[in-house]
Amino acid sequence: MRLMISHTTTYSYDRPVDYALLQLRLTPRNGPGQTVLSWQSQVSGATQQVAYQDHFRNDVELVQMHEGGQTVTITSQGEVETENLNGVIGMVSKVPLWIYRSPTRATTAGPTVRKIAAQAREALAGNALAGVHELSSLVAEAVAYTKGETHVATTAEEAALAGKGVCQDQAHVLIAAARHLGLPARYVSGYLLLEGQTQQEAGHGWAEVHIDGLGWVGFDVSNAICPDDRYVRVAIGRDYGEAAPVRGLRQGDATEELCVSLQVQQ
């Protein structure tokens, strides 16, 4: 399947900003199940400082907002050819697996997450793939997809305790539970072609778990599916913070307004 993507992110401030630095992870990666046919990013209101690959081999750009500016707009667009691998990415990885077993602040398994994980332990012992599918279903039951109840700093334990969250939170809970059960797990940020809906409010996020004999396998808790050819992988990390499309820091007390325009179509 050939997917066309256009993604615009605009940060606006109510007063001039003295200093702001943005870290961008917006370039899809070539790899199993996808080939980037074309891709370009443009930034207005800021200047690129450096471009590099991080330790997860994500393409990263650092851009600095123009001094005294009040608006930064980041536009990325291109075409990606995808193939349905039923979520199986395979053994491809340049990072040792032990890194993906290490909890982060966002993916530390507290009592609620450990309780969810315990319910899948028996299924996992019988068959690892079936066990992670069971775990994904348990997370979906425990954390209902609900907008506006969490934020980017919400942890897996907080979302599990509240019983609600968005795709980022559900992925974090699955990752935390999988690591608690001894499985390497990681976060994936990317795009998803939605049926009958071209315009979207934000990108998508899901989890990948490493299973012996198969390698990395994707699990989208929000849609109860392993990613297929409607998905485009952009960045990976131990949690959302390490794979976020845009992260930044700034000086001053200006009020920020974020606007995202995203189209994914075939």
Side-chain angles (χ1 to χ4, degrees):
M1 183 183 297
R2 180 172 295 192
L3 300 178
M4 294 174 288
I5 300 162
S6 178
H7 183 188
T8 300
T9 303
T10 301
Y11 290 91
S12 301
Y13 302 92
D14 64 346
R15 65 190 70 180
V17 175
D18 294 331
Y19 178 83
L21 189 66
L22 299 176
Q23 188 180 62
L24 315 180
R25 288 178 175 85
L26 290 165
T27 303
R29 53 176 61 211
N30 286 306
Q34 69 180 47
T35 301
V36 181
L37 302 177
S38 64
W39 196 265
Q40 61 179 1
S41 294
Q42 296 179 327
V43 180
S44 64
T47 303
Q48 185 189 87
Q49 302 300 300
V50 65
Y52 62 95
Q53 280 196 335
D54 66 15
H55 49 296
F56 297 111
R57 293 192 176 268
N58 301 314
D59 287 324
V60 185
E61 292 181 72
L62 288 182
V63 300
Q64 183 176 337
M65 187 174 179
H66 296 158
E67 184 177 352
Q70 290 185 246
T71 304
V72 175
T73 299
I74 307 150
T75 301
S76 298
Q77 59 185 2
E79 292 184 79
V80 182
E81 188 79 37
T82 61
E83 177 187 359
N84 184 8
L85 300 180
N86 297 308
V88 181
I89 302 302
M91 303 294 183
V92 179
S93 180
K94 301 295 183 180
V95 179
L97 292 179
W98 63 262
I99 287 181
Y100 295 115
R101 290 191 177 96
S102 304
T104 64
R105 178 187 176 276
T107 57
T108 296
T112 313
V113 172
R114 292 197 296 267
K115 183 177 180 180
I116 296 170
Q119 298 176 68
R121 194 179 296 276
E122 183 176 344
L124 195 65
N127 180 281
L129 180 60
V132 181
H133 276 292
E134 173 68 15
L135 182 59
S136 182
S137 297
L138 289 166
V139 172
E141 293 173 8
V143 184
Y145 186 91
T146 312
K147 295 181 180 180
E149 297 292 333
T150 56
H151 49 80
V152 293
T154 299
T155 67
E157 180 63 20
E158 290 168 344
L161 188 60
K164 58 187 70 173
V166 292
C167 60
Q168 169 189 314
D169 304 297
Q170 293 173 321
H172 277 167
V173 174
L174 177 56
I175 291 166
R179 288 179 184 158
H180 177 68
L181 293 167
L183 296 170
R186 64 191 184 187
Y187 188 95
V188 184
S189 65
Y191 300 111
L192 168 61
L193 174 67
L194 297 175
E195 185 175 353
Q197 181 180 338
T198 300
Q199 185 70 40
Q200 300 180 34
E201 297 177 354
H204 195 46
W206 58 97
E208 289 179 349
V209 179
H210 194 275
I211 297 172
D212 287 345
L214 286 176
W216 290 104
V217 182
F219 296 87
D220 181 0
V221 177
S222 303
N223 292 293
I225 191 175
C226 288
D228 53 25
D229 55 354
R230 297 170 299 159
Y231 290 71
V232 173
R233 301 167 75 248
V234 175
I236 60 174
R238 292 177 300 164
D239 57 25
Y240 169 79
E242 295 182 340
V246 182
R247 294 188 70 186
L249 58 87
R250 60 185 170 87
Q251 294 177 341
D253 56 357
T255 300
E256 180 181 275
E257 181 180 350
L258 171 63
C259 179
V260 176
S261 174
L262 172 63
Q263 297 87 38
V264 182
Q265 54 192 318
Q266 188 176 356

